[in-house]
Amino acid sequence: MQVPHFTGQHGGDANGPFSFLNPTTRRYRLPFHKQSNQASQDDLLNKGSGNREVDESQAPTPKKRNEIRVGDVERLFRTRDNRKGRHQISISPSIHQDAQYLTPPPTNTLLATLHGIIRMFTVFPYWDVSYLVALIFTIGSVDWCVNAFFVWLPLQMPSSEFPGEIANAGGISAFVGATIFEMGSVLLMIEAVNENRADCFGWAVEEVLEESGLRRLRPDGCVHHHGNKKNLVGKGKAVDGKPPLDVEMAPKDEPNSKSARTWTWLPTWYELRTHYFKEVGFLACLSQMTGATIFWLSGFTALPSIYSRLTSTAAQNGAYWLPQVLGGTGFIISGFLFMVETQQKWYLPAPKVLGWHIGVWNLIGGIGFTLCGALGFAASNSGCVYQGSLATFWGSWCFLVGSVIQWYESLDKHPVNVGVEEGGERVSDTQPV
């Protein structure tokens, strides 16, 4: 079976914001036949594509609590979810006689959301690169919020200013925030070039003991690197009969070789040219890292001992304000690309998708940081100085909101949402997942 996210074909169940780039969303209807069996993720997907029969050697398992009956199940594949190690399914609740599956309850309810928020403070998968990315950006955003108070509050409330607040506290916190953002961006790029390249369903399918012909879906069998606790950022594992790399992308790898590459620090030019440069998510990560690297220069020159030596307007504009404008522009581009990656079309918003909100808030935050740098060129005008500092303030809070949502998303690996009508028609492409 060809790895679905390596094809550039749009149409049917494959959609994306730009026709000249690879699709970012695909839907797969799960097959159902009333036999006594247990299907692995590979069997299920191959059965759905007509490649081979489902394995029937496993015994059924008893029914569990907290499960719901559903009629149809669709696998919703998103390129963003694949990078984050997430496995979403869409379900259509059914009456008793029409039920075909037992699944966990929807994760888009208020109660499930509260459980997810609690999980943010009780689960710490430090080996998961997606979790690290979200946590690092959250810490960096908090630092930028503190920095914004240092540089804006004295202008709003002069009586609150303490000696060296803007120059020293503001400069040092800017350097720390820029460095943290750079670290997060590097990990974000590492995450992008190590997307799972062997198709991963992430759900086990098995017959329910008390219900003849009824089959259960439960989270199991994920081969993403996010679950590997043996090293810091995780390492993918080869699956028997499947190459971790698509054969068309890396002809040097044998399709069934267990020694095929499973972790990449730097993709080859062939991989960049034939795949990554056609992926919306990779381009977003590349824009983020480029912007963060350029932006770091302004954080470095913000250090008091360096900024005090930028005595001329030209030096301040070139070494301090210009990197903010260029770096902030990179943030705007990446935020826009992360936003549209979750959409069916570039002009159709997806406000109930977590990844869409992350992109939107980062886009607004990037606008704030860019505006701060642009207004800095007119630093002789007190109104521009005030508005520039204020732009840093609200831009930092926007980054913080986006980072917190990303933190929540990184821990929600198996989202379940109601999104299939009777007959298999899609209810919505903007479900809260």
Side-chain angles (χ1 to χ4, degrees):
M1 178 181 177
Q2 186 175 354
V3 180
H5 52 290
F6 283 155
T7 177
Q9 299 295 325
H10 286 250
D13 289 329
N15 299 283
F18 307 112
S19 60
F20 56 88
L21 296 176
N22 287 345
T24 57
T25 304
R26 279 180 176 267
R27 288 181 178 268
Y28 297 90
R29 187 79 173 275
L30 265 65
F32 179 81
H33 56 106
K34 298 197 174 191
Q35 297 179 1
S36 177
N37 56 52
Q38 176 180 352
S40 67
Q41 54 154 333
D42 291 338
D43 294 329
L44 176 65
L45 294 174
N46 282 317
K47 176 65 179 177
S49 61
N51 288 345
R52 64 179 178 181
E53 292 298 322
V54 179
D55 178 26
E56 301 182 1
S57 60
Q58 300 296 329
T61 56
K63 183 178 178 180
K64 299 179 181 179
R65 291 184 178 181
N66 200 26
E67 292 179 320
I68 63 173
R69 296 173 178 271
V70 302
D72 294 310
V73 177
E74 277 187 345
R75 175 197 178 187
L76 178 56
F77 173 90
R78 290 194 182 101
T79 51
R80 178 180 180 87
D81 288 345
N82 186 56
R83 292 196 308 274
K84 303 294 181 181
R86 304 177 81 227
H87 314 85
Q88 186 203 336
I89 58 173
S90 297
I91 61 174
S92 63
S94 177
I95 58 178
H96 179 78
Q97 58 266 32
D98 295 331
Q100 301 183 94
Y101 296 95
L102 284 179
T103 69
T107 57
N108 51 8
T109 62
L110 177 59
L111 182 59
T113 302
L114 292 176
H115 286 165
I117 294 174
I118 294 174
R119 184 169 55 232
M120 293 170 64
F121 301 98
T122 56
V123 178
F124 311 101
Y126 56 86
W127 58 85
D128 183 348
V129 64
S130 298
Y131 172 78
L132 291 179
V133 166
L135 195 61
I136 288 173
F137 276 122
T138 300
I139 295 173
S141 299
V142 169
D143 177 87
W144 277 112
C145 289
V146 173
N147 167 269
F149 275 108
F150 287 149
V151 299
W152 169 73
L153 194 59
L155 302 179
Q156 179 67 28
M157 298 178 58
S159 60
S160 67
E161 183 177 3
F162 58 83
E165 180 176 2
I166 296 179
N168 296 332
I172 294 174
S173 59
F175 172 73
V176 173
T179 302
I180 295 175
F181 268 27
E182 176 68 7
M183 292 170 56
S185 299
V186 170
L187 284 181
L188 192 67
M189 180 58 69
I190 292 176
E191 175 192 67
V193 299
N194 286 279
E195 61 176 356
N196 187 65
R197 307 179 213 192
D199 198 13
C200 178
F201 179 46
W203 294 81
V205 184
E206 56 195 16
E207 185 181 2
V208 183
L209 185 61
E210 295 92 339
E211 305 286 345
S212 178
L214 202 60
R215 300 169 71 188
R216 168 184 294 112
L217 269 73
R218 60 179 176 82
D220 191 23
C222 175
V223 297
H224 280 83
H225 59 74
H226 302 75
N228 193 337
K229 303 180 182 181
K230 294 184 179 179
N231 54 1
L232 182 61
V233 289
K235 182 178 181 182
K237 54 185 178 181
V239 182
D240 269 345
K242 275 194 175 184
L245 292 175
D246 182 58
V247 218
E248 296 181 1
M249 283 185 57
K252 62 183 180 179
D253 290 328
E254 293 295 331
N256 296 324
S257 171
K258 292 184 179 180
S259 60
R261 250 185 325 166
T262 56
W263 183 255
T264 301
W265 292 103
L266 187 66
T268 65
W269 174 246
Y270 181 82
E271 292 173 329
L272 288 171
R273 178 171 53 86
T274 59
H275 173 60
Y276 288 111
F277 286 156
K278 300 178 182 180
E279 287 285 298
V280 178
F282 175 82
L283 296 177
C285 294
L286 181 61
S287 300
Q288 171 71 30
M289 191 179 75
T290 303
T293 302
I294 298 175
F295 193 87
W296 183 86
L297 297 176
S298 66
F300 179 72
T301 54
L303 289 171
S305 59
I306 297 177
Y307 187 81
S308 61
R309 297 177 183 273
L310 303 177
T311 54
S312 68
T313 301
Q316 292 179 1
N317 289 344
Y320 183 67
W321 297 116
L322 182 59
Q324 286 196 39
V325 174
L326 296 178
T329 302
F331 295 156
I332 292 175
I333 295 173
S334 68
F336 172 76
L337 291 176
F338 280 132
M339 177 185 69
V340 299
E341 184 187 17
T342 64
Q343 302 177 184
Q344 274 200 341
K345 303 293 182 182
W346 68 268
Y347 53 85
L348 293 177
K352 294 185 180 179
V353 179
L354 286 178
W356 187 85
H357 283 280
I358 295 168
V360 168
W361 286 106
N362 286 340
L363 170 62
I364 300 173
I367 292 174
F369 276 33
T370 304
L371 189 60
C372 173
L375 292 172
F377 290 116
S380 58
N381 185 298
S382 60
C384 289
V385 172
Y386 177 85
Q387 291 298 331
S389 300
L390 184 60
T392 300
F393 181 83
W394 56 259
S396 301
W397 282 97
C398 289
F399 275 126
L400 180 59
V401 173
S403 299
V404 170
I405 298 175
Q406 189 172 359
W407 181 5
Y408 178 96
E409 177 198 47
S410 69
L411 297 174
D412 186 21
K413 297 298 189 185
H414 291 84
V416 178
N417 73 290
V418 179
V420 182
E421 290 181 344
E422 292 299 327
E425 296 297 324
R426 283 174 284 189
V427 174
S428 171
D429 292 296
T430 57
Q431 295 297 332
V433 295

